[in-house]
C-alpha cells in the first residue's frame, strides 16, 4: 500500500472537500443563474438568453455532485448513513427541487404560452434557490451540532425534527449560500451575455458581492460565541477506530481555535471576503473575467474556511459529542480507501479535463439576436 491508513484518511478528507468545491464552482453557475432568473430576464427572450448561457453545460456540472455523493458513500459510509438519517426530509425536498431543473429546461420551450413558460421559470427558480438554501443550512447546522448518537452496536438514532434545522445560525448560513451562488451565477451570466441581461447581472454582482462579504464576516463573529468541539483523545488514528473510541470536549469559540493557533489559516476567510468584494469592484469597473475570478475566489474561500474550522470533525453530534464523526473514525477500510484513491486519481482529472473542454467549446456570448435567429434551438 502506497500510503499508511492515517495518510489515506487525510487524503480522502481533501478529496471530498475538492469534489464539493468542484460542484460549488461549476454547479454554482447554473444554480445562481436560476436563482436570479426572475430578475435578470424581464421578457421571454431575455430569460432564454440566461437559460441558454447555462443550458449546454448544466447537466455536466452535476457530475461533480454525483461523484461527491458516491465518494461520500464509499469513503465515509458512517457519515453517509448518519447524514441521510438526520437530514432525510431536507434532502428529499432538495431532490424534488432538483427534479424541477431537467423538467423545466426540457419542457419550458415546448409551448409558447406565456403562462406555461412563466410557470416553468418559477419552477427553475425554486430548483436553483432551494438546493442552495438547504446545502448552506446543512453546513451551518454542522457547527451547531446535529442531534444523533450511536449505541454500543453503532446503530444511529436521531432525536430531532426537520424544523430543528431552522436555527438562527443555520438559516443565516443558508442565506449566505444563496447569496454566494447568486454572486457566482451573476458573474458567469455577466461574462456570457450582453445588453440588458448583462447589465442586470453586473448590478447583481455588485450587490451580492457586498452582501456576501458582510454576511460572511458577521457569521465569523457569531461563530466565536457558538459552542465548538475539540478532540481531546482518540485511539491510534493509523488503525481502525470506532466513533465511540474518542473523547470530545465542547466550549464556546473552539471552532476558531485552530485559526488562532495557526494564524496563516486566517488567509482562507480573508481571501473569501476579499474575493467577494473584488467581484463587486470588478463588476463596477466592467472587468468581466476579473468578476468571475472574484466570485470563484469567494466560493473557494468560504468552503475552505468551513472545512478548516470543522476539521477533524465531519458530522458533530449535539446529543452525544462522543458520537461525533471525524476524519479518523468515519472511514472505510484501508484497502477500500487505497483502491478508491486509484480510481479517483484516474477519473477526477478526466472530469476536470472534459469539464474544461466543454466550457471551451461552448464559450461565447449568448444574445437576444441569437435567440431570434433560431427560435427553436436551445432552451
Amino acid at each position: 500500500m502506497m500510503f499508511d491508513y492515517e495518510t489515506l484518511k487525510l487524503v480522502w478528507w481533501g478529496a471530498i472537500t475538492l469534489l464539493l468545491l468542484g460542484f460549488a464552482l461549476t454547479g454554482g453557475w447554473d444554480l445562481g443563474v436560476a436563482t436570479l432568473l426572475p430578475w435578470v430576464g424581464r421578457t421571454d427572450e431575455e430569460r432564454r438568453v440566461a437559460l441558454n448561457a447555462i443550458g449546454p453545460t448544466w447537466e455536466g456540472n452535476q457530475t461533480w455532485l454525483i461523484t461527491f455523493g458516491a465518494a461520500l458513500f464509499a469513503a465515509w459510509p458512517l457519515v453517509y448513513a448518519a447524514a441521510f438519517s438526520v437530514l432525510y426530509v431536507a434532502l428529499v425536498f432538495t431532490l424534488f427541487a432538483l427534479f424541477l431543473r431537467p423538467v423545466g429546461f426540457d419542457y419550458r420551450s415546448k409551448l409558447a404560452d406565456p403562462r406555461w413558460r412563466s410557470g416553468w421559470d418559477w419552477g427553475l427558480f425554486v430548483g436553483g434557490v432551494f438546493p442552495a438554501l438547504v446545502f448552506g443550512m446543512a453546513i451551518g447546522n454542522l457547527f451547531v451540532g446535529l442531534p444523533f448518537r450511536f449505541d454500543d452496536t453503532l446503530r444511529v438514532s436521531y432525536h430531532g425534527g426537520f424544523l430543528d434545522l431552522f436555527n438562527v445560525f443555520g438559516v443565516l448560513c443558508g442565506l449566505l449560500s444563496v447569496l454566494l451562488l447568486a454572486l457566482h451565477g451573476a458573474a458567469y451570466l455577466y461574462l456570457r451575455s450582453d445588453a440588458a441581461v448583462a447589465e442586470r447581472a453586473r448590478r447583481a454582482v455588485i450587490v451580492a458581492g457586498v452582501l456576501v462579504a458582510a454576511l460572511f464576516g458577521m457569521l465569523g463573529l457569531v461563530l466565536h460565541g457558538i459552542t465548538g468541539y475539540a478532540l481531546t483523545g482518540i485511539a491510534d488514528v493509523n488503525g481502525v477506530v470506532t466513533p465511540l473510541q474518542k473523547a470530545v470536549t465542547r466550549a464556546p469559540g473552539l471552532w476558531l481555535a485552530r485559526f488562532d493557533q495557526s494564524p496563516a489559516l486566517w488567509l482562507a476567510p480573508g481571501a473569501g471576503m476579499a474575493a467577494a468584494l473584488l467581484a463587486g469592484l470588478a463588476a463596477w469597473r466592467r472587468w468581466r473575467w476579473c468578476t468571475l475570478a472574484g466570485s470563484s475566489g469567494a466560493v473557494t474561500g468560504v468552503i475552505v474556511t468551513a472545512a478548516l474550522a470543522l476539521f477533524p470533525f465531519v458530522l458533530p453530534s449535539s446529543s452525544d459529542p462522543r458520537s461525533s464523526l471525524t476524519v479518523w473514525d468515519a472511514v472505510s477500510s484501508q484497502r477500500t480507501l487505497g483502491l478508491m484513491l486509484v480510481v479517483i486519481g484516474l477519473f477526477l482529472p478526466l472530469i476536470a479535463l472534459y469539464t474544461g473542454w466543454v466550457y471551451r467549446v461552448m464559450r461565447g456570448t449568448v444574445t437576444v439576436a441569437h435567440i431570434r435567429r433560431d427560435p427553436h434551438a436551445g432552451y
Side-chain angles (χ1 to χ4, degrees):
M1 189 68 68
M2 184 183 301
F3 299 112
D4 59 29
Y5 202 10
E6 180 182 357
T7 304
L8 280 172
K9 292 173 181 178
L10 285 172
V11 167
W12 270 99
W13 173 80
I16 288 178
T17 303
L18 187 63
L19 288 170
L20 178 62
L21 187 58
F23 173 66
L25 286 173
T26 56
W29 286 329
D30 49 76
L31 289 172
V33 170
T35 299
L36 294 170
L37 188 60
W39 292 277
V40 295
R42 296 181 183 173
T43 66
D44 179 62
E45 289 178 332
E46 290 176 350
R47 286 191 288 275
R48 291 192 68 188
V49 166
L51 291 176
N52 282 284
I54 57 174
T57 53
W58 78 270
E59 288 175 297
N61 296 338
Q62 311 311 304
T63 307
W64 291 94
L65 180 62
I66 294 168
T67 309
F68 169 77
L72 195 68
F73 173 73
W76 290 347
L78 284 176
V79 173
Y80 188 89
F84 273 73
S85 298
V86 174
L87 302 171
Y88 184 78
V89 176
L91 291 176
V92 166
F93 280 128
T94 304
L95 190 60
F96 278 99
L98 288 172
F99 284 166
L100 291 171
R101 306 177 71 216
V103 180
F105 274 109
D106 287 339
Y107 281 83
R108 182 188 184 280
S109 299
K110 300 296 183 186
L111 296 176
D113 186 343
R115 289 176 297 180
W116 171 268
R117 294 192 172 186
S118 176
W120 283 118
D121 289 341
W122 284 107
L124 289 167
F125 165 75
V126 172
V129 72
F130 193 81
L133 180 67
V134 172
F135 292 151
M137 287 179 61
I139 292 175
N141 274 277
L142 295 184
F143 289 98
V144 178
L146 295 168
F148 72 93
R149 68 168 65 235
F150 288 100
D151 63 16
D152 293 339
T153 59
L154 293 186
R155 289 181 301 182
V156 65
S157 58
Y158 179 47
H159 307 283
F162 172 64
L163 296 180
D164 293 334
L165 300 176
F166 290 85
N167 55 77
V168 175
F169 189 78
V171 171
L172 287 175
C173 287
L175 180 60
L176 174 64
S177 174
V178 172
L179 287 171
L180 185 63
L181 295 189
L183 165 69
H184 199 42
Y188 182 73
L189 190 58
Y190 179 44
L191 181 70
R192 293 292 315 277
S193 61
D194 73 346
V197 176
E199 181 58 26
R200 293 183 198 121
R202 187 181 76 88
R203 279 180 278 179
V205 171
I206 296 172
V207 174
V210 174
L211 292 177
V212 165
L215 186 54
F216 186 43
M218 188 191 78
L219 285 172
L221 295 175
V222 173
L223 200 57
H224 271 291
I226 287 182
T227 299
Y229 293 59
L231 198 60
T232 54
I234 191 168
D236 181 14
V237 296
N238 199 32
V240 177
V241 183
T242 70
L244 302 181
Q245 290 180 301
K246 63 177 177 291
V248 175
T249 187
R250 301 177 64 198
L254 280 182
W255 287 129
L256 296 177
R258 179 169 297 98
F259 292 84
D260 295 331
Q261 294 163 1
S262 305
L265 297 181
W266 284 109
L267 289 174
M273 292 180 62
L277 293 173
L278 172 65
L281 176 65
W284 179 61
R285 297 300 304 267
R286 302 180 187 277
W287 298 335
R288 298 194 183 210
W289 278 104
C290 190
T291 301
L292 191 65
S295 72
S296 301
V299 171
T300 304
V302 170
I303 290 179
V304 170
T305 299
L308 290 174
L310 285 168
F311 185 86
F313 291 89
V314 180
L315 209 64
S317 167
S318 59
S319 299
D320 175 20
R322 201 166 61 111
S323 293
S324 300
L325 292 173
T326 71
V327 171
W328 312 120
D329 54 24
V331 295
S332 294
S333 68
Q334 183 176 4
R335 180 177 176 79
T336 301
L337 293 185
L339 289 174
M340 286 175 51
L341 186 61
V342 174
V343 173
I344 203 167
L346 292 172
F347 285 98
L348 193 59
L350 280 178
I351 294 173
L353 282 172
Y354 85 67
T355 300
W357 177 76
V358 167
Y359 276 93
R360 176 173 170 77
V361 171
M362 298 298 176
R363 69 186 184 278
T365 304
V366 182
T367 66
V368 171
H370 288 131
I371 302 296
R372 290 175 179 169
R373 191 179 309 131
D374 192 357
H376 299 294
Y379 295 103

